[in-house]
């Protein structure tokens, strides 16, 4: 894989990834509620999902999901239900002021919880697998080592995700320090609303879209 192809792939993935999807919203919320250490665990879960999804594409599972209406529907509705569940949890999360300059959300998620949430959100969204199935082959050179190319793209994708999610998590942490308790409550509920919207949109998603 030449450098120009890899650079084009990296820029395209960065543009697609920077949009606030479920894993980005989780990174923002984890940064606000649990700080960078908790956020780092969530980021690790999302990065692992990139490696798993691209590996699945390499083994042809994306084509299986595209061909099976039943399997696609099962994964889609499970993913939509999980996003709605997370939205409900975020909406109910209370805020307690600690002092005049900082605020802290009660019961911040543990590192393990943040890791599992981010991993499951990404793996239970069939759009990710379908996207990689349609997108990655455009950058694969059949005459070269296909396994090495998929591995390279998986690592690059994970690194881009890590960088962008770190920015989201840092923004959440700074918001926790700068905003009032009421503002933080609405930040949390804003994330809940966006997650709920994504869950509903996923429920109506069709493969031909």
């Amino acid at each position: 894989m030449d450098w120009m192809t890899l650079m084009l792939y990296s820029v395209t993935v960065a543009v697609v990834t920077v949009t606030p999807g479920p894993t980005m919203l989780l990174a923002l919320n984890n940064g606000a509620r649990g700080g960078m250490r908790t956020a780092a665990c969530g980021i690790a879960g999302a990065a692992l999902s990139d490696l798993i999804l691209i590996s699945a594409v390499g083994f042809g599972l994306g084509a299986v999901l595209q061909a099976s209406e039943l399997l696609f529907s099962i994964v889609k509705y499970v993913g939509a239900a999980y996003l709605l569940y997370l939205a409900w949890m975020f909406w109910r999360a209370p805020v307690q002021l600690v002092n005049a300059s900082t605020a802290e959300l009660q019961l911040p998620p543990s590192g393990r919880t943040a890791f599992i949430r981010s991993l499951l959100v990404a793996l239970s969204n069939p759009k990710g697998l379908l996207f990689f199935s349609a997108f990655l082959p455009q950058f694969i050179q059949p005459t070269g080592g296909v396994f090495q190319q998929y591995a390279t793209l998986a690592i690059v994708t994970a690194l881009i995700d890590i960088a962008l999610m770190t920015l989201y998590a840092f923004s959440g942490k700074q918001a926790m320090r700068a905003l009032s308790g009421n503002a933080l409550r609405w930040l949390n509920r804003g994330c809940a609303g966006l997650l709920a919207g994504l869950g509903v949109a996923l429920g109506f998603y069709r493969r031909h879209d």
Side-chain angles (χ1 to χ4, degrees):
M1 180 175 292
D2 60 80
W3 282 103
M4 287 300 296
T5 300
L6 190 59
M7 183 63 66
L8 178 60
Y9 175 82
S10 301
V11 171
T12 307
V13 169
V15 171
V16 172
T17 306
V18 74
T19 306
T23 53
M24 293 297 168
L25 292 173
L26 285 177
L28 177 68
N29 195 268
N30 288 334
R33 297 181 64 192
M36 294 304 294
R37 180 173 298 182
T38 299
C41 295
I43 291 170
L48 177 60
S49 74
D50 289 330
L51 302 180
I52 294 174
L53 288 175
I54 294 178
S55 297
V57 170
F59 284 107
L61 294 184
V64 173
L65 189 67
Q66 179 68 38
S68 173
E69 179 69 32
L70 177 61
L71 180 59
F72 175 82
S73 296
I74 291 174
V75 176
K76 178 182 71 173
Y77 288 123
V78 168
Y82 189 59
L83 286 177
L84 292 174
Y85 165 75
L86 289 180
W88 174 245
M89 295 294 293
F90 285 4
W91 185 273
R92 296 180 58 198
V95 176
Q96 177 183 21
L97 287 177
V98 178
N99 54 48
S101 60
T102 62
E104 180 179 326
L105 287 163
Q106 293 177 343
L107 300 177
S110 66
R112 179 181 178 182
T113 298
F115 178 89
I116 294 175
R117 280 180 177 176
S118 296
L119 179 63
L120 291 181
V121 161
L123 293 182
S124 62
N125 187 347
K127 292 173 67 176
L129 190 55
L130 293 180
F131 169 76
F132 282 128
S133 296
F135 183 64
L136 290 179
Q138 302 179 48
F139 297 89
I140 298 297
Q141 300 175 6
T143 56
V146 174
F147 173 81
Q148 292 86 343
Q149 292 180 73
Y150 270 108
T152 299
L153 295 180
I155 293 172
V156 169
T157 303
L159 290 176
I160 292 172
D161 254 356
I162 289 171
L164 293 176
M165 283 187 289
T166 299
L167 291 177
Y168 271 83
F170 184 75
S171 298
K173 179 182 178 182
Q174 296 305 308
M176 183 187 72
R177 293 180 176 179
L179 299 178
S180 66
N182 189 54
L184 279 174
R185 181 178 294 108
W186 284 107
L187 173 64
N188 209 44
R189 290 183 175 181
C191 290
L194 289 172
L195 283 174
L198 290 170
V200 172
L202 179 59
F204 286 100
Y205 181 75
R206 296 294 181 268
R207 289 178 299 175
H208 59 75
D209 293 335

